[in-house]
């Protein structure tokens, strides 16, 4: 029996069947992808097709023996649905399609997905990119997110859902797209350096203080930022 996530297979409630969830960057699909998914679902008589919260389309209720053949037929990469890594990036349509979009969230989300999807991290990382303050990508409960405004991007860090939810905090505002990429890279570096075991980035920020992160990023004047130090 596969362990959860082996070969892109996610064990289901019955402990006998699996779901496979191909990677669909930012939830953008083509007719060809949809036809392929439908053909594979019919061929293997899957129990259900489910659009996930991460905008993947999971084929649910397949046997362990079927999993390798399904991936061969799909010809797609697995989505990072489990594991200690960067999960799929959630992005709204932004200025590509939405009348309320103020920044190109879809293009930025696709780029973040290209750079980071599946990257191993100290804890799971969920990212979101919203093109306006409506935050359709659920920025407030994402580990790292960008929100578009008329003046640029707002970087938010430290949100998560789960049993002990936490709202993301604003780190800086009015970033250009290139600055946003640079800051996200630095936030990930901060997390690698200052995390403790089994700690998501929100708890790392909470433990050290938001100003500790801001000084590391250069948003505030530097102080004596040393490993695992606490800043009130």
């Amino acid at each position: 029996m596969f362990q959860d996530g082996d070969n892109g297979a996610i064990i289901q409630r019955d402990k006998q069947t699996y779901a496979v969830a191909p990677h669909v960057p930012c939830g953008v699909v083509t007719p060809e992808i949809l036809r392929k998914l439908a053909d594979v679902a019919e061929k293997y008589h899957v129990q259900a097709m489910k659009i996930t919260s991460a905008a993947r389309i999971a084929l649910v209720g397949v046997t362990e023996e079927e999993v390798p053949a399904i991936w061969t037929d799909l010809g797609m990469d697995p989505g990072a649905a489990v594991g200690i890594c960067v999960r799929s990036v959630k992005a709204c349509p932004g200025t590509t399609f939405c009348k309320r979009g103020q920044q190109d969230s879809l293009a930025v989300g696709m780029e973040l997905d290209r750079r980071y999807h599946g990257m191993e991290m100290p804890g799971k990382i969920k990212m979101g990119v919203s093109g306006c303050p409506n935050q359709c990508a659920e920025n407030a409960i994402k580990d790292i997110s960008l929100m578009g405004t008329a003046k640029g991007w707002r970087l938010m860090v430290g949100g998560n859902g789960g049993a002990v939810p936490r709202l993301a905090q604003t780190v800086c505002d009015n970033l250009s797209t290139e600055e946003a990429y640079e800051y996200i890279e630095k936030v990930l570096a901060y997390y690698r350096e200052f995390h403790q075991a089994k700690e998501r980035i929100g708890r790392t920020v909470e433990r050290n203080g938001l100003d500790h992160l801001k000084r590391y990023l250069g948003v505030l004047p530097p102080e004596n930022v040393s490993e695992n130090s606490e800043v009130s």
Side-chain angles (χ1 to χ4, degrees):
M1 177 173 286
F2 293 132
Q3 296 297 310
D4 211 18
D6 287 353
N7 204 18
I10 307 158
I11 190 71
Q12 298 299 284
R13 185 180 178 88
D14 61 9
K15 305 300 182 184
Q16 298 295 322
T17 62
Y18 297 84
V20 297
H23 182 44
V24 182
C26 295
V28 177
V29 297
T30 64
E32 180 184 11
I33 290 173
L34 292 175
R35 288 191 190 97
K36 185 179 295 185
L37 287 166
D39 289 344
V40 170
E42 288 183 342
K43 178 178 178 179
Y44 293 94
H45 306 286
V46 304
Q47 295 178 22
M49 299 177 71
K50 174 69 174 70
I51 299 174
T52 73
S53 59
R56 292 182 289 263
I57 301 177
L59 306 182
V60 183
V62 302
T63 67
E64 182 175 358
E65 293 73 21
E66 291 171 330
V67 169
I70 286 174
W71 283 121
T72 297
D73 288 353
L74 286 172
M76 299 170 68
D77 294 327
V82 297
I84 308 303
C85 64
V86 178
R87 306 290 182 83
S88 295
V89 178
K90 190 167 189 177
C92 75
T95 52
T96 307
F97 299 109
C98 182
K99 65 182 180 181
R100 294 182 177 85
Q102 296 180 338
Q103 297 293 331
D104 192 350
S105 52
L106 193 54
V108 170
M110 295 289 272
E111 177 61 20
L112 292 176
D113 186 281
R114 185 191 68 79
R115 294 186 184 199
Y116 299 117
H117 174 254
M119 180 180 287
E120 186 174 341
M121 294 297 299
K124 67 180 176 183
I125 293 282
K126 295 185 177 181
M127 294 186 180
V129 188
S130 295
C132 82
N134 282 352
Q135 296 189 22
C136 292
E138 301 174 331
N139 296 53
I141 55 170
K142 292 291 186 287
D143 297 276
I144 301 173
S145 64
L146 295 171
M147 186 196 83
T149 71
K151 295 182 179 180
W153 294 105
R154 172 177 296 171
L155 175 62
M156 302 169 68
V157 173
N160 63 260
V164 185
R166 186 181 192 278
L167 292 177
Q169 295 170 278
T170 297
V171 175
C172 49
D173 266 313
N174 305 332
L175 301 175
S176 69
T177 296
E178 288 305 315
E179 287 173 332
Y181 292 146
E182 290 171 7
Y183 275 115
I184 287 174
E185 184 67 25
K186 291 178 181 178
V187 169
L188 292 173
Y190 174 90
Y191 182 36
R192 292 188 188 99
E193 182 174 353
F194 293 103
H195 78 281
Q196 291 184 353
K198 299 182 179 179
E199 184 176 70
R200 285 179 72 170
I201 191 169
R203 304 305 165 194
T204 304
V205 172
E206 194 171 80
R207 177 170 50 81
N208 290 305
L210 183 62
D211 284 356
H212 187 254
L213 171 61
K214 288 184 175 182
R215 290 189 177 97
Y216 184 94
L217 299 179
V219 176
L220 290 178
E223 265 191 12
N224 188 19
V225 179
S226 60
E227 186 171 358
N228 293 323
S229 64
E230 295 198 5
V231 177
S232 60

